[in-house]
Amino acid sequence: MRDVVVTKADLLIEEEVPSALLQLCAHVAGYEITAAQWAEGSYEEHLSLIPFPGRELREHTRDRFTHLKTEQATLLGRRRGRSDRRR
């Protein structure tokens, strides 16, 4: 997920990276720290230092998808909820 955010950031609608995506990247980085500790034989930590932004990420993804589908329908000359069949 982090790799998609990093490699496809040019496709974001926003001018800046949204908070939910920054939190996701921080969460993954936190697990990298935990994994490095495991590699050194230290197993006290079992979680990322940063919590996974589940709710925020779902809301952001849903909102952006809805926005893009509405914009797509507009560009294709369709109204949202209308059938794609031509008469």
Side-chain angles (χ1 to χ4, degrees):
M1 290 168 67
R2 181 203 43 202
D3 291 347
V4 170
V5 170
V6 171
T7 62
K8 307 297 182 196
D10 59 313
L11 299 176
L12 292 172
I13 295 169
E14 299 85 1
E15 291 291 321
E16 296 182 13
V17 179
S19 175
L21 299 181
L22 291 174
Q23 290 175 22
L24 169 68
C25 293
H27 170 76
V28 173
Y31 260 121
E32 290 173 339
I33 293 168
T34 301
Q37 291 173 340
W38 293 348
E40 294 177 359
S42 176
Y43 301 103
E44 289 82 31
E45 296 294 328
H46 297 281
L47 301 172
S48 172
L49 301 172
I50 308 294
F52 182 76
R55 189 185 92 248
E56 296 90 350
L57 198 55
R58 278 189 306 277
E59 289 173 2
H60 173 76
T61 303
R62 182 190 61 236
D63 292 347
R64 293 293 90 201
F65 182 79
T66 301
H67 172 79
L68 287 172
K69 292 307 285 182
T70 300
E71 187 173 336
Q72 179 187 44
T74 300
L75 292 171
L76 293 173
R78 301 179 190 141
R79 287 190 214 133
R80 189 161 172 77
R82 201 170 122 196
S83 174
D84 290 345
R85 290 183 289 156
R86 293 181 185 220
R87 294 181 183 199

